[in-house]
PDB file of all heavy atoms in Angstrom:
ATOM      1  N   ASN A 177      20.392  35.306  14.724  1.00 91.00           N
ATOM      2  CA  ASN A 177      21.570  34.983  15.345  1.00 91.00           C
ATOM      3  C   ASN A 177      21.371  34.903  16.853  1.00 91.00           C
ATOM      4  O   ASN A 177      21.248  35.858  17.522  1.00 91.00           O
ATOM      5  CB  ASN A 177      22.583  36.147  15.102  1.00 91.00           C
ATOM      6  CG  ASN A 177      23.851  36.209  15.973  1.00 91.00           C
ATOM      7  OD1 ASN A 177      24.185  35.193  16.517  1.00 91.00           O
ATOM      8  ND2 ASN A 177      24.507  37.298  15.958  1.00 91.00           N
ATOM      9  N   ILE A 178      21.305  33.540  17.226  1.00 89.00           N
ATOM     10  CA  ILE A 178      21.083  33.383  18.740  1.00 89.00           C
ATOM     11  C   ILE A 178      22.435  32.971  19.319  1.00 89.00           C
ATOM     12  O   ILE A 178      22.936  31.849  18.986  1.00 89.00           O
ATOM     13  CB  ILE A 178      20.072  32.215  18.931  1.00 89.00           C
ATOM     14  CG1 ILE A 178      18.720  32.547  18.213  1.00 89.00           C
ATOM     15  CG2 ILE A 178      19.869  32.014  20.511  1.00 89.00           C
ATOM     16  CD1 ILE A 178      17.920  33.641  18.764  1.00 89.00           C
ATOM     17  N   PRO A 179      23.039  33.759  20.082  1.00 92.00           N
ATOM     18  CA  PRO A 179      24.377  33.395  20.646  1.00 92.00           C
ATOM     19  C   PRO A 179      24.368  32.241  21.500  1.00 92.00           C
ATOM     20  O   PRO A 179      23.411  32.003  22.106  1.00 92.00           O
ATOM     21  CB  PRO A 179      24.850  34.769  21.381  1.00 92.00           C
ATOM     22  CG  PRO A 179      23.655  35.646  21.325  1.00 92.00           C
ATOM     23  CD  PRO A 179      22.533  35.133  20.590  1.00 92.00           C
ATOM     24  N   ARG A 180      25.444  31.513  21.643  1.00 93.00           N
ATOM     25  CA  ARG A 180      25.506  30.373  22.515  1.00 93.00           C
ATOM     26  C   ARG A 180      25.352  30.831  24.034  1.00 93.00           C
ATOM     27  O   ARG A 180      25.676  32.059  24.322  1.00 93.00           O
ATOM     28  CB  ARG A 180      26.878  29.784  22.383  1.00 93.00           C
ATOM     29  CG  ARG A 180      27.148  28.973  21.178  1.00 93.00           C
ATOM     30  CD  ARG A 180      28.621  28.580  21.044  1.00 93.00           C
ATOM     31  NE  ARG A 180      28.868  27.491  21.795  1.00 93.00           N
ATOM     32  CZ  ARG A 180      28.838  26.194  21.367  1.00 93.00           C
ATOM     33  NH1 ARG A 180      28.394  26.096  20.107  1.00 93.00           N
ATOM     34  NH2 ARG A 180      29.106  25.244  22.039  1.00 93.00           N
ATOM     35  N   GLY A 181      24.766  29.999  24.780  1.00 94.00           N
ATOM     36  CA  GLY A 181      24.582  30.384  26.180  1.00 94.00           C
ATOM     37  C   GLY A 181      23.260  30.802  26.507  1.00 94.00           C
ATOM     38  O   GLY A 181      23.038  31.137  27.649  1.00 94.00           O
ATOM     39  N   TYR A 182      22.422  31.049  25.551  1.00 95.00           N
ATOM     40  CA  TYR A 182      21.052  31.369  25.724  1.00 95.00           C
ATOM     41  C   TYR A 182      20.015  30.402  25.333  1.00 95.00           C
ATOM     42  O   TYR A 182      20.236  29.734  24.329  1.00 95.00           O
ATOM     43  CB  TYR A 182      20.725  32.753  25.020  1.00 95.00           C
ATOM     44  CG  TYR A 182      21.592  33.786  25.624  1.00 95.00           C
ATOM     45  CD1 TYR A 182      22.752  34.202  24.859  1.00 95.00           C
ATOM     46  CD2 TYR A 182      21.054  34.620  26.610  1.00 95.00           C
ATOM     47  CE1 TYR A 182      23.559  35.192  25.439  1.00 95.00           C
ATOM     48  CE2 TYR A 182      21.938  35.708  27.050  1.00 95.00           C
ATOM     49  CZ  TYR A 182      23.030  36.009  26.356  1.00 95.00           C
ATOM     50  OH  TYR A 182      23.868  37.064  26.879  1.00 95.00           O
ATOM     51  N   SER A 183      18.930  30.296  25.985  1.00 94.00           N
ATOM     52  CA  SER A 183      17.939  29.335  25.538  1.00 94.00           C
ATOM     53  C   SER A 183      16.540  29.996  25.611  1.00 94.00           C
ATOM     54  O   SER A 183      16.315  30.897  26.455  1.00 94.00           O
ATOM     55  CB  SER A 183      17.763  27.987  26.406  1.00 94.00           C
ATOM     56  OG  SER A 183      18.920  27.271  26.249  1.00 94.00           O
ATOM     57  N   LEU A 184      15.692  29.429  24.713  1.00 95.00           N
ATOM     58  CA  LEU A 184      14.231  29.904  24.763  1.00 95.00           C
ATOM     59  C   LEU A 184      13.473  28.722  25.642  1.00 95.00           C
ATOM     60  O   LEU A 184      13.669  27.571  25.157  1.00 95.00           O
ATOM     61  CB  LEU A 184      13.650  29.964  23.408  1.00 95.00           C
ATOM     62  CG  LEU A 184      12.147  30.402  23.471  1.00 95.00           C
ATOM     63  CD1 LEU A 184      12.004  31.911  23.420  1.00 95.00           C
ATOM     64  CD2 LEU A 184      11.448  29.912  22.280  1.00 95.00           C
ATOM     65  N   LEU A 185      12.822  29.151  26.605  1.00 96.00           N
ATOM     66  CA  LEU A 185      11.962  28.064  27.359  1.00 96.00           C
ATOM     67  C   LEU A 185      10.535  28.267  27.000  1.00 96.00           C
ATOM     68  O   LEU A 185      10.095  29.443  26.903  1.00 96.00           O
ATOM     69  CB  LEU A 185      12.191  28.207  28.887  1.00 96.00           C
ATOM     70  CG  LEU A 185      13.471  27.649  29.429  1.00 96.00           C
ATOM     71  CD1 LEU A 185      13.225  27.725  31.027  1.00 96.00           C
ATOM     72  CD2 LEU A 185      13.909  26.314  28.977  1.00 96.00           C
ATOM     73  N   ILE A 186       9.836  27.183  26.898  1.00 97.00           N
ATOM     74  CA  ILE A 186       8.431  27.356  26.798  1.00 97.00           C
ATOM     75  C   ILE A 186       7.732  26.635  27.929  1.00 97.00           C
ATOM     76  O   ILE A 186       8.082  25.473  28.312  1.00 97.00           O
ATOM     77  CB  ILE A 186       7.926  26.673  25.508  1.00 97.00           C
ATOM     78  CG1 ILE A 186       8.573  27.254  24.182  1.00 97.00           C
ATOM     79  CG2 ILE A 186       6.389  26.628  25.294  1.00 97.00           C
ATOM     80  CD1 ILE A 186       8.295  26.396  22.978  1.00 97.00           C
ATOM     81  N   ILE A 187       6.829  27.349  28.718  1.00 97.00           N
ATOM     82  CA  ILE A 187       6.281  26.803  29.749  1.00 97.00           C
ATOM     83  C   ILE A 187       4.759  26.681  29.558  1.00 97.00           C
ATOM     84  O   ILE A 187       4.078  27.795  29.360  1.00 97.00           O
ATOM     85  CB  ILE A 187       6.477  27.790  31.121  1.00 97.00           C
ATOM     86  CG1 ILE A 187       8.119  27.920  31.345  1.00 97.00           C
ATOM     87  CG2 ILE A 187       5.923  27.209  32.316  1.00 97.00           C
ATOM     88  CD1 ILE A 187       8.734  29.059  30.678  1.00 97.00           C
ATOM     89  N   ASP A 188       4.300  25.463  29.648  1.00 96.00           N
ATOM     90  CA  ASP A 188       2.785  25.275  29.307  1.00 96.00           C
ATOM     91  C   ASP A 188       2.022  25.348  30.634  1.00 96.00           C
ATOM     92  O   ASP A 188       2.295  24.562  31.521  1.00 96.00           O
ATOM     93  CB  ASP A 188       2.601  23.921  28.699  1.00 96.00           C
ATOM     94  CG  ASP A 188       1.241  23.717  28.207  1.00 96.00           C
ATOM     95  OD1 ASP A 188       0.331  24.587  28.476  1.00 96.00           O
ATOM     96  OD2 ASP A 188       0.962  22.638  27.593  1.00 96.00           O
ATOM     97  N   SER A 189       1.239  26.351  30.814  1.00 96.00           N
ATOM     98  CA  SER A 189       0.415  26.537  32.013  1.00 96.00           C
ATOM     99  C   SER A 189      -0.520  25.372  32.069  1.00 96.00           C
ATOM    100  O   SER A 189      -1.045  25.233  33.266  1.00 96.00           O
ATOM    101  CB  SER A 189      -0.378  27.840  31.870  1.00 96.00           C
ATOM    102  OG  SER A 189      -1.414  27.806  30.936  1.00 96.00           O
ATOM    103  N   GLY A 190      -0.821  24.671  31.043  1.00 95.00           N
ATOM    104  CA  GLY A 190      -1.754  23.555  31.112  1.00 95.00           C
ATOM    105  C   GLY A 190      -3.252  24.098  31.130  1.00 95.00           C
ATOM    106  O   GLY A 190      -4.163  23.121  30.992  1.00 95.00           O
ATOM    107  N   ILE A 191      -3.323  25.323  31.049  1.00 95.00           N
ATOM    108  CA  ILE A 191      -4.927  25.797  30.969  1.00 95.00           C
ATOM    109  C   ILE A 191      -5.280  25.897  29.513  1.00 95.00           C
ATOM    110  O   ILE A 191      -4.616  26.517  28.703  1.00 95.00           O
ATOM    111  CB  ILE A 191      -4.919  27.236  31.562  1.00 95.00           C
ATOM    112  CG1 ILE A 191      -4.491  27.178  33.063  1.00 95.00           C
ATOM    113  CG2 ILE A 191      -6.376  27.748  31.352  1.00 95.00           C
ATOM    114  CD1 ILE A 191      -4.322  28.615  33.781  1.00 95.00           C
TER     115      ILE A 191
END
Side-chain angles (χ1 to χ4, degrees):
N177 167 16
I178 306 289
R180 289 170 80 88
Y182 295 91
S183 292
L184 181 89
L185 284 192
I186 301 172
I187 301 94
D188 186 356
S189 70
I191 303 170

